[in-house]
Amino acid sequence: MPARDVLRSLFTGWRRPTTHPVDAQGESADSLIGFVLAAALVGVLTGVSAASFRLLLEQGARLRGHLAHWAHGTWWGLIVVVLVCTAAAAIAAALVHRVEPHAEGSGIPRVEAVADGRVRPDRFRILPVKYVGGLLAISSGMALGREGPSVQMGGTAAVMVATLTRRNIADLRILVAGGAAAGLATAFNAPIAGGVFVLEELVKRFDPRTTVATLVASASGFAAARLLMPSRYEFHMKPLADPRLVESGWVLAIGLVTGLLGVLYNEAVMRALRRADGSRWPKEVRAALTGALVGLIVWAAPDLAGSGDNLTQNALVEHGALVAVAGVLALRFALGVVSYAAATPGGLFAPMLVLGSHAGLLVGLVAVHLTPHVTPSLAACAVIGMAAFFTASVHAPVTGLILATEMTGNTNQLPPMLGACAVAMLVAIALRSQPIYDRLTQRAAESSAAAAE
């Protein structure tokens, strides 16, 4: 076979009649190799996109901090900060509303709907809109995460690769799932959690073809991202003491508190979105008002704005008194809900980590006052809370366990995390709370159906 035909067959599955081996599903070995190569290419494109996105967000956070510091040196500094944040949020919303409506919000629900076949694959332009809009919205100080845009950029990269290599629609959907895994792996330096999340939550199946594509894309994306940024744990923690059985009562209390909080958070997000959907105000105006609110927070307390990685880090190093931790938890709960309803690009994962870590830390601070000798360390309470809150909201306990472990590098807290996640999941099920991404995916599918009519 000529070299041109070999390359074409590898990527597209096209082939002349040959005697090549064929698998049980009727697929040639050449086509299977091409599928794996396509998944690797999706991972590389996603890794580069998500890594550069993350680096620019870090630069944006530094600029926001410098702006807030400068603003306190002049009487009109507050006005400048509010105007900058307002303009950034409004432009981000305008990009979504006027250029690509499907770039709104996290992007994970949209990717899930595409992978499940409920909506048509996204257009290519969603990637630049998500990239630029996400930079503006998150850098302005909104309580949104980078993982949602990274996942959707990965899904769009998969659509591009599948289209250019002429993969069929079934392969396209699998590659979209792989791109999502690569996006999450890069966003949080968590390649295993990226793959597991897609298999556990996004596609909800572990068939060999999907698993291979997901793992290959996740690994290649993580490797490509290393070209732009070093490999490191997302959060730094001191070594934790091994858990003790006498501490189990407080561990279960963390599961109970985060379970209730996760249910409330899901309901608050969905109610805010319903109110936003029913509003007659233009999306740009609503986003501008949210940006103005965020601008006030940036001026008054810049550390409380943004995705919140610094806040999660503080909780994991046991920083904060009881009243201060409760205040941060309440503020970030409300700010996260308001920010997500502003119709700008941005994810939910990072805000969830802030809420979970602070809820766990809050329980730990109460425990220290009541039973100081049978209490887990405050850092352990924070990391347990991260996993348990994620479980209550997303209903993906395996992902929660692996994500918290990969992001902190701590492995000896897996047993208490498992117990807290079980309780949080039980609370969510008992209260009939649906997973947040299932509810958002249904909303995305209904929105697409309405737009098609």
Side-chain angles (χ1 to χ4, degrees), residues 29 56 68 105 130 135 137 152 178 182 194 201 204 228 237 252 266 358 364 384 424 433:
L56 290 175
K130 198 77 175 184
L135 284 177
Q152 192 166 21
E201 165 60 25
K204 297 181 176 65
L228 297 178
M237 293 183 67
L252 298 180
N266 287 5
H358 279 72
I384 293 168
S433 176

Tab-separated table of all heavy atoms in Angstrom, residues 29 56 68 105 130 135 137 152 178 182 194 201 204 228 237 252 266 358 364 384 424 433:
chain	number	residue	atom	x	y	z
A	29	ALA	N	-6.661	-3.525	12.446
A	29	ALA	CA	-5.623	-3.084	13.370
A	29	ALA	C	-5.153	-1.684	13.011
A	29	ALA	O	-4.864	-0.862	13.888
A	29	ALA	CB	-4.451	-4.074	13.326
A	56	LEU	N	-1.896	31.905	31.912
A	56	LEU	CA	-2.439	33.250	31.737
A	56	LEU	C	-3.377	33.630	32.882
A	56	LEU	O	-3.429	34.793	33.297
A	56	LEU	CB	-3.167	33.355	30.399
A	56	LEU	CG	-2.270	33.326	29.158
A	56	LEU	CD1	-3.106	33.307	27.883
A	56	LEU	CD2	-1.327	34.533	29.149
A	68	ALA	N	-5.508	45.895	42.939
A	68	ALA	CA	-6.138	46.142	44.235
A	68	ALA	C	-5.178	46.880	45.168
A	68	ALA	O	-5.587	47.788	45.908
A	68	ALA	CB	-6.572	44.819	44.861
A	105	GLY	N	-20.956	29.103	31.051
A	105	GLY	CA	-20.848	28.247	32.222
A	105	GLY	C	-19.641	27.329	32.224
A	105	GLY	O	-18.601	27.612	31.648
A	130	LYS	N	-14.340	30.287	24.558
A	130	LYS	CA	-14.181	29.770	25.919
A	130	LYS	C	-12.864	30.232	26.523
A	130	LYS	O	-12.786	30.582	27.706
A	130	LYS	CB	-14.233	28.233	25.889
A	130	LYS	CG	-14.515	27.600	27.243
A	130	LYS	CD	-15.979	27.714	27.596
A	130	LYS	CE	-16.318	26.996	28.885
A	130	LYS	NZ	-17.750	27.034	29.178
A	135	LEU	N	-10.729	33.617	30.471
A	135	LEU	CA	-9.667	34.476	31.000
A	135	LEU	C	-10.240	35.762	31.587
A	135	LEU	O	-9.861	36.186	32.685
A	135	LEU	CB	-8.668	34.820	29.891
A	135	LEU	CG	-7.676	33.736	29.474
A	135	LEU	CD1	-6.818	34.223	28.307
A	135	LEU	CD2	-6.779	33.355	30.651
A	137	ALA	N	-13.433	36.431	32.599
A	137	ALA	CA	-14.344	36.227	33.728
A	137	ALA	C	-13.596	35.836	34.995
A	137	ALA	O	-13.821	36.402	36.075
A	137	ALA	CB	-15.378	35.160	33.367
A	152	GLN	N	-14.034	21.781	28.327
A	152	GLN	CA	-14.756	22.058	27.082
A	152	GLN	C	-13.803	22.343	25.934
A	152	GLN	O	-14.076	21.971	24.782
A	152	GLN	CB	-15.724	23.218	27.259
A	152	GLN	CG	-16.693	23.349	26.081
A	152	GLN	CD	-17.859	24.261	26.365
A	152	GLN	OE1	-17.803	25.110	27.253
A	152	GLN	NE2	-18.936	24.110	25.602
A	178	GLY	N	-12.378	11.755	25.801
A	178	GLY	CA	-10.939	11.770	26.018
A	178	GLY	C	-10.400	13.183	26.159
A	178	GLY	O	-9.542	13.457	27.014
A	182	ALA	N	-8.350	14.944	29.358
A	182	ALA	CA	-7.093	15.675	29.222
A	182	ALA	C	-7.218	17.083	29.794
A	182	ALA	O	-6.287	17.587	30.432
A	182	ALA	CB	-6.683	15.739	27.753
A	194	GLY	N	-8.529	12.904	36.178
A	194	GLY	CA	-9.141	13.323	34.926
A	194	GLY	C	-9.779	12.161	34.199
A	194	GLY	O	-10.929	12.242	33.751
A	201	GLU	N	-18.310	9.821	35.790
A	201	GLU	CA	-19.372	10.818	35.765
A	201	GLU	C	-19.818	11.178	34.358
A	201	GLU	O	-21.009	11.269	34.076
A	201	GLU	CB	-18.897	12.084	36.499
A	201	GLU	CG	-19.736	13.328	36.251
A	201	GLU	CD	-21.196	13.172	36.662
A	201	GLU	OE1	-21.477	12.333	37.537
A	201	GLU	OE2	-22.051	13.881	36.093
A	204	LYS	N	-20.089	7.453	32.230
A	204	LYS	CA	-20.678	6.447	33.130
A	204	LYS	C	-20.560	5.035	32.584
A	204	LYS	O	-21.482	4.224	32.705
A	204	LYS	CB	-22.140	6.790	33.414
A	204	LYS	CG	-22.338	8.112	34.142
A	204	LYS	CD	-23.815	8.378	34.412
A	204	LYS	CE	-24.006	9.635	35.226
A	204	LYS	NZ	-23.583	10.849	34.538
A	228	LEU	N	5.041	23.352	29.185
A	228	LEU	CA	4.791	24.751	29.526
A	228	LEU	C	4.881	25.039	31.009
A	228	LEU	O	5.169	26.162	31.414
A	228	LEU	CB	3.397	25.160	29.020
A	228	LEU	CG	3.193	25.100	27.502
A	228	LEU	CD1	1.764	25.486	27.151
A	228	LEU	CD2	4.173	26.010	26.791
A	237	MET	N	1.008	20.414	51.557
A	237	MET	CA	0.562	20.039	52.898
A	237	MET	C	1.733	19.446	53.670
A	237	MET	O	2.619	18.816	53.088
A	237	MET	CB	-0.565	18.997	52.840
A	237	MET	CG	-1.872	19.475	52.258
A	237	MET	SD	-3.142	18.174	52.328
A	237	MET	CE	-3.380	18.054	54.112
A	252	LEU	N	-17.131	11.305	60.421
A	252	LEU	CA	-18.513	11.154	59.965
A	252	LEU	C	-19.269	12.482	60.041
A	252	LEU	O	-20.138	12.762	59.211
A	252	LEU	CB	-19.221	10.099	60.814
A	252	LEU	CG	-18.625	8.685	60.733
A	252	LEU	CD1	-19.416	7.727	61.620
A	252	LEU	CD2	-18.607	8.182	59.295
A	266	ASN	N	-26.021	22.691	45.353
A	266	ASN	CA	-26.631	22.291	44.079
A	266	ASN	C	-27.961	22.999	43.853
A	266	ASN	O	-28.247	23.499	42.758
A	266	ASN	CB	-26.848	20.774	44.055
A	266	ASN	CG	-25.563	19.997	43.902
A	266	ASN	OD1	-24.471	20.570	43.895
A	266	ASN	ND2	-25.676	18.685	43.793
A	358	HIS	N	-13.049	24.341	53.533
A	358	HIS	CA	-13.423	25.201	54.651
A	358	HIS	C	-14.511	24.576	55.522
A	358	HIS	O	-14.525	24.791	56.744
A	358	HIS	CB	-13.868	26.575	54.136
A	358	HIS	CG	-12.718	27.476	53.819
A	358	HIS	ND1	-11.907	27.278	52.721
A	358	HIS	CD2	-12.215	28.563	54.469
A	358	HIS	CE1	-10.967	28.208	52.701
A	358	HIS	NE2	-11.131	28.988	53.737
A	364	GLY	N	-13.418	20.738	62.041
A	364	GLY	CA	-12.225	20.462	62.820
A	364	GLY	C	-11.999	21.477	63.923
A	364	GLY	O	-11.598	21.109	65.052
A	384	ILE	N	-10.269	15.989	53.920
A	384	ILE	CA	-11.431	15.095	53.959
A	384	ILE	C	-12.670	15.841	53.489
A	384	ILE	O	-13.490	15.310	52.724
A	384	ILE	CB	-11.636	14.537	55.383
A	384	ILE	CG1	-10.483	13.600	55.757
A	384	ILE	CG2	-12.965	13.800	55.489
A	384	ILE	CD1	-10.461	13.229	57.232
A	424	ALA	N	-21.517	11.534	53.052
A	424	ALA	CA	-21.973	12.650	52.210
A	424	ALA	C	-22.859	12.151	51.081
A	424	ALA	O	-23.890	12.767	50.756
A	424	ALA	CB	-20.769	13.406	51.666
A	433	SER	N	-31.244	14.500	46.172
A	433	SER	CA	-30.519	15.526	45.432
A	433	SER	C	-29.852	14.905	44.213
A	433	SER	O	-29.077	13.960	44.330
A	433	SER	CB	-29.458	16.172	46.328
A	433	SER	OG	-28.674	17.103	45.610
